[in-house]
Amino acid sequence: MNTAVACRTDELVLSAWFTVSPFGVGKEVFADGIAHARSGISEVDKAVFPVPYDRAGMVPDFTAAKYLGRKGTRLMDRLTALAVTSVGGLVEQASAELSAAPERAGLVLGTGWASVQSIMDTTRDSLSGEKPYHVDPAKFPNTVMNKAAGQSAIWHTIKGPNTTISGDWLTGLLALSYAARLYRGGHTDRVLCGAVEEYSTQRAWLEWHAGAASGERAHALGEGGAFFLLESSDEARAAGRPALARVLGTRFRAFGAPDRASRALADCVRSVLAETGTGADQVRLVSLSGVASTVSAAEEEAVNDALGESADRRRIRCGPLVGDTSAVATGFQLAAVLAELERSPFGTDDAALITAIGRDGTVGCALLGGAA
């Protein structure tokens, strides 16, 4: 049986987005925070989070019960609650199309390690209990990486392909790239893609000890979720949703040593520009991570090397405003670009670039074009 599927070549666009961020729940508060460069970082309540950090970018007053209700959330961990809330905000913007054909809607969810708190709590119980298997079985599903993606799809009745992606700070861009391939392969008609990260005591301690080796302990950690609707321009138009940006391309590379990261990222940017026929002078906006000082310097160097310096090109740095949000870092960077395009749309010849350098030896970028 021939199972080959013709690759779709439709113009792919991002037509909706939603965030749960240190600015609050909703895209409006995120857009306002980025536009005014307002910090979402505040003092940590150490009575609740006994962590070595004094400040963090946490979603204010967030609980699963507050945003999802009490039914079905008693055993839901923070990461899953952030994911279900974030995806729900996006689903509301396309509910008619998603409910009409739920089996043709896919979900690609990026996460770092899943819920570190849940994994380590269960591990501790298995070591400290009378028997290794004396753990709470009801909480065990929280320890698997795809719990947030599966729960989000069940909660919002998304029945198409369901995928979990993990890739350090590049997770959001990797999710976008995977979602585009999912659509191109004919597996879905539209894809909800994005990333989520939680703030927890256990994650804070892991990051603290990891920072000792890299010398990066000064930055605050952050959390949240950022999700996007990816569909063809024709489908967006038929649904009455204005396209915010065209997805022109993504590129990823690995680097073997830290001093090679800048060159690898610059090569990524040049490659995506060349393949899409985009000139460096067309890139009017660059969204950088801007968290760790060593990585930030290499990232800025790569962008300058690949694009050249231009007074007309604006740069957005999300990290200093929301903290090190790990898996959702590039998701927030992408959201910041879409927020800017909603406020001031690009022409079709203009482009925006999102870049990142990961701690795991990978670099990547995404290039978005103005929508007609």
Side-chain angles (χ1 to χ4, degrees):
M1 181 174 66
N2 183 8
T3 58
V5 177
C7 180
R8 289 178 170 175
T9 57
D10 320 43
E11 185 176 71
L12 274 179
V13 299
L14 294 165
S15 56
W17 62 284
F18 193 83
T19 58
V20 175
S21 72
F23 298 118
V25 175
K27 55 188 285 187
E28 292 78 12
V29 289
F30 181 85
D32 186 70
I34 294 295
H36 294 91
R38 190 174 68 247
S39 176
I41 298 172
S42 58
E43 298 291 328
V44 174
D45 182 354
K46 294 199 174 185
V48 179
F49 295 96
V51 297
Y53 295 94
D54 294 325
R55 299 173 64 77
M58 299 183 65
V59 180
D61 302 321
F62 181 86
T63 64
K66 180 177 180 180
Y67 288 98
L68 300 172
R70 295 191 177 281
K71 185 178 180 181
T73 59
R74 186 174 63 85
L75 297 173
M76 186 180 287
D77 61 22
R78 188 174 181 88
L79 182 90
T80 304
L82 288 168
V84 174
T85 303
S86 304
V87 173
L90 186 59
V91 167
E92 285 183 5
Q93 300 176 57
S95 57
E97 297 75 37
L98 294 174
S99 60
E103 71 284 352
R104 294 297 300 167
L107 175 63
V108 181
L109 186 149
T111 177
W113 305 293
S115 173
V116 173
Q117 188 72 46
S118 296
I119 293 169
M120 296 187 73
D121 284 351
T122 299
T123 302
R124 181 201 57 213
D125 291 347
S126 73
L127 295 172
S128 59
E130 186 175 342
K131 299 289 185 182
Y133 48 86
H134 285 179
V135 298
D136 187 347
K139 293 183 178 179
F140 190 77
N142 290 332
T143 66
V144 297
M145 182 167 279
N146 64 351
K147 165 66 186 303
Q151 186 69 66
S152 296
I154 293 169
W155 196 279
H156 299 298
T157 321
I158 301 168
K159 299 182 178 179
N162 188 288
T163 307
T164 298
I165 299 282
S166 180
D168 196 46
W169 287 335
L170 276 79
T171 297
L173 296 186
L174 290 168
L176 175 65
S177 179
Y178 187 93
R181 294 200 302 278
L182 207 57
Y183 178 88
R184 295 293 188 204
H187 304 292
T188 65
D189 291 334
R190 47 184 54 85
V191 192
L192 297 87
C193 64
V196 64
E197 187 61 86
E198 71 171 2
Y199 189 93
S200 67
T201 300
Q202 301 297 357
R203 178 189 162 217
W205 279 109
L206 284 178
E207 296 279 10
W208 177 262
H209 288 297
S214 65
E216 293 284 358
R217 279 180 169 176
H219 52 270
L221 302 182
E223 67 171 3
F227 282 84
F228 314 93
L229 182 61
L230 185 70
E231 58 186 341
S232 75
S233 58
D234 289 341
E235 288 163 339
R237 192 177 301 110
R241 279 185 293 275
L244 302 174
R246 292 173 294 135
V247 179
L248 300 181
T250 56
R251 285 293 182 280
F252 302 94
R253 286 180 182 244
F255 59 89
D259 60 355
R260 299 177 184 173
S262 178
R263 181 175 178 179
L265 179 57
D267 288 344
C268 273
V269 175
R270 291 193 188 94
S271 174
V272 76
L273 290 177
E275 182 164 310
T276 60
T278 305
D281 59 336
Q282 293 176 248
V283 180
R284 293 179 48 199
L285 176 65
V286 180
S287 184
L288 305 108
S289 54
V291 179
S293 58
T294 52
V295 169
S296 291
E299 196 176 2
E300 301 271 357
E301 180 184 342
V303 171
N304 290 338
D305 187 24
L307 301 181
E309 296 190 38
S310 170
D312 296 330
R313 183 178 301 125
R314 185 183 170 200
R315 300 192 183 203
I316 299 174
R317 299 170 181 83
C318 289
L321 304 179
V322 297
D324 172 7
T325 52
S326 191
V328 75
T330 47
F332 281 150
Q333 289 174 241
L334 177 54
V337 169
L338 297 184
E340 175 63 19
L341 295 184
E342 280 192 328
R343 190 181 67 82
S344 179
F346 275 3
T348 53
D349 290 335
D350 299 325
L353 180 71
I354 300 102
T355 63
I357 296 176
R359 294 165 292 188
D360 58 352
T362 56
V363 299
C365 67
L367 188 68
L368 306 182

